[in-house]
Amino acid sequence: MKESMELHLNVAELIGAIFKTHGEVYMSCYMSSWHEMIMTMSHAYCLKEDKQLAYYVMSDVIEFGLSPGSNDVAVQYLAEVMPLMINVTAGSPEDNGLRQTCGYAIGVTAERFPEIFPQFAPTALQALSFSIQAGEDPEEGESRGSCTDCCVAAVGIILTQMGDLYTRLAGQGESSQTQGVDILALQKIPFYDIWGQWLDYLPLKHDKVCTVVCISSNVVGEYADLLCCNCRRKG
């Protein structure tokens, strides 16, 4: 079993490394050679190791393989994988490793593809809220950890990106589709209520990557000191 897990992780690392070095150039090769198998391995009834590999790779595809410029490819890919990731994020606490990966990927998607993400935003926020409330795997003995921090960071990114997008587009007409963006989906987001809840979860204490993501995504604004106070204490 240990050898199998190591093999899965090595394969995921290899695919991720190719995407990090070659980006969207590798997408056509990935889609023809790997995509179908990865989607099969993400099935709920597959082994945990298979699902971990699948969602690691999906996350790397979103972060490094898709290009905001190649909109058709991004739309098609996200329509297929984002509902799966949202569903996993709202999964059981025992799957906190998968929830962490998917929560992170949801935040990356909202940041890199704000015009595509609105259709997923309401359900994504619900799933992230559920994951935050669920906390970590009970066997780990902690109510707050990296999984929770990733989900909290993703909520902040969604609120920032979707709020900015809604502000830009709200005055452009009453059509439910403005520049291809689902305005009705944005209108379903109770921004002010969720912001208040989000602030209660700061600072992020367990995952420095998520802290950096929040800062680089301009999520924090005047809350930068609160978000980073734990990192400064450790520094």
Side-chain angles (χ1 to χ4, degrees), residues 38-135:
I38 293 297
M39 295 303 295
T40 300
M41 295 174 71
S42 70
H43 195 280
Y45 294 107
C46 283
L47 295 174
K48 183 177 181 179
E49 293 77 15
D50 291 341
K51 290 186 289 185
Q52 286 178 332
L53 186 153
Y55 285 104
Y56 285 158
V57 172
M58 289 181 193
S59 179
D60 281 338
V61 171
I62 293 172
E63 187 170 12
F64 305 108
L66 297 178
S67 170
S70 56
N71 221 32
D72 291 341
V73 176
V75 168
Q76 181 179 354
Y77 185 82
L78 293 174
E80 187 173 8
V81 305
M82 194 50 49
L84 299 177
M85 290 191 153
I86 291 172
N87 187 57
V88 169
T89 303
S92 65
E94 289 76 14
D95 290 332
N96 66 320
L98 295 178
R99 290 190 294 121
Q100 178 178 345
T101 299
C102 292
Y104 176 81
I106 289 172
V108 170
T109 304
E111 179 185 12
R112 298 195 70 219
F113 305 96
E115 290 80 13
I116 302 173
F117 193 78
Q119 61 184 304
F120 308 115
T123 54
L125 286 169
Q126 290 176 358
L128 290 165
S129 176
F130 180 90
S131 187
I132 292 169
Q133 296 299 323

Side-chain angles (χ1 to χ4, degrees), residues 186-207:
L186 292 177
Q187 291 174 340
K188 295 179 182 178
I189 302 175
F191 288 101
Y192 293 108
D193 293 340
I194 301 178
W195 269 124
Q197 298 170 15
W198 184 78
L199 290 173
D200 290 338
Y201 287 102
L202 299 183
L204 305 184
K205 299 179 179 179
H206 300 274
D207 197 304

Side-chain angles (χ1 to χ4, degrees), residues 22-40:
H22 292 73
E24 62 180 310
V25 175
Y26 182 60
M27 271 301 294
S28 60
C29 179
Y30 168 80
M31 293 300 290
S32 61
S33 303
W34 285 98
H35 179 66
E36 183 177 352
M37 184 181 68
I38 293 297
M39 295 303 295
T40 300

